[in-house]
């Protein structure tokens, strides 16, 4: 059966729908097919929503230009400021991308699209999987552009090929965790506007980390917050791998935070989605 989303001009092809109220749960092949269908839909929506895609790229670039050329000369980090700030900009970039995921999920939840899908033999997790996969793809693109722009501005990493592979793996894992968290926020949001407000937390946390200034320059209260939140160890690990600064045990702390967020966000998002669909 072909289902058309008139509000968002998206066409999805699925198996023949069951009788009303009947739900089917096929095997692994059906689950993969459901996920691919919804991933394709979300990717098409991302391509058509050009303004959101551009903003997820342009805003981090503008922030990098602002901090490097306006504030960078006044901030002493013991190294070239652009080498210090780029890892933070990369994590900030993922936050912008994930916040758009929360709004996309909220749009589906509140536009009637989910009601159309409930009568079809589609696994409930496939809808969120589609949005999350599209988010990871958008973030991969925007992060690549930000790194290339940073190199053009004077960023000079000393990372080996293996270090770059570790950075890519950690950042992708972090993006995946943040995207599932954003999907959960989108599920509970009552509108696209409220989803954008909930997503503000993901945009704000990097400013309370070591992204832009060393944590030891902060007041003691903010220093405690910065040292005990997930973004600082991720940034410090990425910075250490790219520029050769000491990492210590931050790599394991970053991995623990990221995996923990991913597990909780995935389980919470899928549970909230099923609960809201039963309401």
């Amino acid at each position: 059966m072909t289902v058309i989303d008139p509000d968002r001009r998206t066409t999805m092809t699925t198996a023949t729908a069951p009788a009303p109220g009947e739900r089917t749960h096929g095997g692994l092949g059906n689950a993969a097919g459901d996920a691919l269908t919804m991933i394709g839909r979300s990717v098409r929506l991302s391509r058509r929503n050009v303004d959101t895609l551009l903003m997820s790229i342009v805003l981090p670039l503008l922030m990098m230009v602002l901090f490097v050329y306006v504030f960078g000369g006044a901030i002493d980090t013991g190294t070239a400021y652009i080498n210090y700030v780029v890892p933070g900009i990369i994590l900030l970039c993922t936050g912008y991308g994930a916040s758009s995921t929360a709004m996309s999920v909220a749009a589906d939840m509140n536009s009637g699209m989910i009601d159309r899908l409930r009568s079809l033999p589609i696994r409930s997790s496939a809808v969120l999987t589609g949005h999350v996969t599209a988010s990871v793809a958008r973030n991969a693109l925007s992060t690549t552009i930000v790194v290339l722009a940073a190199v053009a501005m004077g960023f000079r990493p000393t990372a080996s090929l293996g270090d770059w592979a570790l950075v890519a793996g950690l950042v992708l894992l972090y993006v995946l965790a943040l995207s599932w968290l954003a999907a959960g926020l989108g599920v509970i949001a009552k509108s696209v506007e409220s989803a954008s407000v909930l997503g503000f937390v993901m945009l704000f946390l990097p400013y309370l980390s070591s992204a832009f200034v060393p944590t030891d320059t902060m007041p003691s209260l903010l220093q405690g917050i910065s040292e005990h939140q997930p973004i600082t160890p991720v940034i410090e690990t990425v910075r250490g791998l790219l520029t050769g600064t000491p990492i210590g045990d931050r790599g394991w702390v970053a991995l623990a935070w990221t995996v923990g967020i991913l597990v909780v966000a995935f389980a919470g998002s899928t549970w909230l989605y099923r609960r809201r669909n039963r309401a």
Side-chain angles (χ1 to χ4, degrees), residues 64-73 81-82 152-154:
M64 183 163 60
V65 170
L66 177 66
F67 274 91
V68 171
Y69 293 124
V70 178
F71 302 137
Y81 186 66
I82 190 170
M153 292 169 58

Side-chain angles (χ1 to χ4, degrees), residues 58-176:
V58 171
L59 281 178
L61 288 176
L62 290 177
M63 292 297 297
M64 183 163 60
V65 170
L66 177 66
F67 274 91
V68 171
Y69 293 124
V70 178
F71 302 137
I75 301 176
D76 182 16
T77 61
T79 184
Y81 186 66
I82 190 170
N83 291 337
Y84 181 89
V85 80
V86 166
I89 296 295
I90 291 174
L91 271 292
L92 187 66
C93 183
T94 65
Y96 282 117
S99 65
S100 66
T101 302
M103 292 186 285
S104 296
V105 173
D108 271 358
M109 298 299 299
N110 296 285
S111 67
M113 185 60 194
I114 300 302
D115 293 333
R116 299 184 184 102
L117 295 175
R118 289 177 68 180
S119 64
L120 298 175
I122 294 179
R123 289 173 179 257
S124 58
S125 60
V127 177
L128 298 184
T129 299
H131 284 292
V132 168
T133 304
S135 173
V136 172
R138 286 195 306 268
N139 273 289
L141 174 63
S142 58
T143 300
T144 301
I145 293 174
V146 165
V147 171
L148 292 176
V151 171
M153 292 169 58
F155 178 51
R156 295 296 179 264
T158 59
S160 65
L161 186 60
D163 292 334
W164 276 106
L166 290 174
V167 168
L170 179 59
V171 171
L172 283 175
L173 187 64
Y174 177 78
V175 169
L176 186 62

